[in-house]
Amino acid sequence: MRLLLLAPPGAGKGTQGERLAGRLGVQHISAGELLRAQARADTGVGREIAAYQQRGDLVPDAIVFEVLTPVVVVAVARGGYILDGFPRTLPQATAAAELGVRLGLTLDAVVSLHAPQAVLVQRLLDRAIQGGRSDDTAAVIRHRLEVFTTTTSPLIAYYRDRGILVAVDADQAPEVVTTEILTRLSDRSLTPDRR
Ligand code: ADP
C-alpha cells in the first residue's frame, strides 16, 4: 500500500497516518516530523529547517527530498507507506511522480481530509494550550493555513484528475474518519473488504 495524506494543518494527518499505518501494516512517514527531527540537530541544515518551520513557511524542496527520499525507499522495500505532509507543492508532486515512474512505483491513493477553517484553527489552538508545537501560535497557524490554500490545495485537483483522490470529511471523531477512509479504500479494492 502506498498512500498519501493530503490535508491542511489541524485536519488530523498525523493522527490518521498513525492509525492507518497500524491497521494496514505499513510504515507511517510524516514529512513534518522528519523535518522537525532534523531541525533539532545542531547543524547548518537543521537550523535552516527550524527557521522555515518556525515561520510556517515551506522548507525548500531540495532539503525535503534529501530528508525524505531515503526513508521512503526503505519503506517501499518493506511493503509500502502512509506518507503525510508530502508532496505539498505541485513541483514536489511532479518530481515524486517522475521518481515513482523511474522506480516502477505508483501511488495507490491520495486521501484528502477536509474540515471547516474554524475547526482547524480551534484544534491547533487547543493543541498549543496542551503544550504543542512552537509553530502553533495564532499568527503562524493563520500563515500555515494560507500556505495550504495557495500552494498545497491545487494538489487536490491534480490527484482528482489522475483518478486516485479519496476525499473524506475530517470534522468527525478520529475513529469515524479512520473507518471512513478504510471503507473508501476497500470500495476501490485497495484493502480487504471489512463489511
Ligand atoms: P502542519 O500540516 O500542521 O503544518 P506538518 O508537521 O505536516 O504540520 O508540517 C510542519 C512544517 O514542516 C510545515 O509548516 C513546513 O515548514 C514543513 N514541511 C512539512 N512537509 C513539508 C513539505 N513537503 N515541503 C516543505 N515543507 C514541509
Side-chain angles (χ1 to χ4, degrees):
M1 171 67 71
R2 290 185 296 272
L3 201 71
L4 298 186
L5 290 179
L6 183 59
K13 284 188 301 289
T15 306
Q16 295 303 324
E18 292 223 350
R19 295 175 64 92
L20 291 169
R23 296 285 291 270
L24 299 170
V26 293
Q27 191 181 336
H28 171 219
I29 303 171
S30 160
E33 277 298 334
L34 283 175
L35 290 166
R36 272 189 290 281
Q38 292 290 319
R40 283 192 290 271
D42 192 19
T43 61
V45 71
R47 278 186 287 275
E48 208 183 328
I49 294 170
Y52 284 102
Q53 287 194 314
Q54 237 137 50
R55 292 193 301 265
D57 283 327
L58 295 181
V59 174
D61 288 353
I63 298 178
V64 173
F65 274 93
E66 203 176 298
V67 172
L68 224 58
T69 308
V71 180
V72 172
V73 167
V74 169
V76 165
R78 293 186 185 151
Y81 54 77
I82 312 284
L83 181 49
D84 94 53
F86 176 90
R88 251 174 152 101
T89 66
L90 275 173
Q92 286 182 3
T94 48
E98 276 164 28
L99 196 68
V101 169
R102 248 189 296 150
L103 300 176
L105 300 168
T106 47
L107 285 171
D108 294 311
V110 176
V111 175
S112 141
L113 300 173
H114 55 87
Q117 185 106 345
V119 171
L120 301 173
V121 172
Q122 195 54 52
R123 285 183 183 174
L124 293 165
L125 290 174
D126 288 347
R127 183 167 78 188
I129 292 165
Q130 291 155 17
R133 286 165 17 195
S134 62
D135 58 349
D136 285 344
T137 63
V140 178
I141 288 168
R142 199 178 324 116
H143 182 57
R144 281 154 59 207
L145 286 166
E146 276 165 15
V147 170
F148 179 82
T149 303
T150 56
T151 310
T152 306
S153 70
L155 292 179
I156 297 172
Y158 173 88
Y159 289 117
R160 187 185 297 121
D161 289 349
R162 279 154 188 77
I164 55 172
L165 191 80
V166 172
V168 172
D169 176 10
D171 189 11
Q172 316 184 72
E175 52 280 8
V176 177
V177 177
T178 308
T179 304
E180 199 167 316
I181 295 170
L182 290 170
T183 304
R184 300 282 298 283
L185 293 176
S186 81
D187 287 347
R188 295 178 156 245
S189 307
L190 292 173
T191 59
D193 198 339
R194 305 188 137 73
R195 285 163 302 172

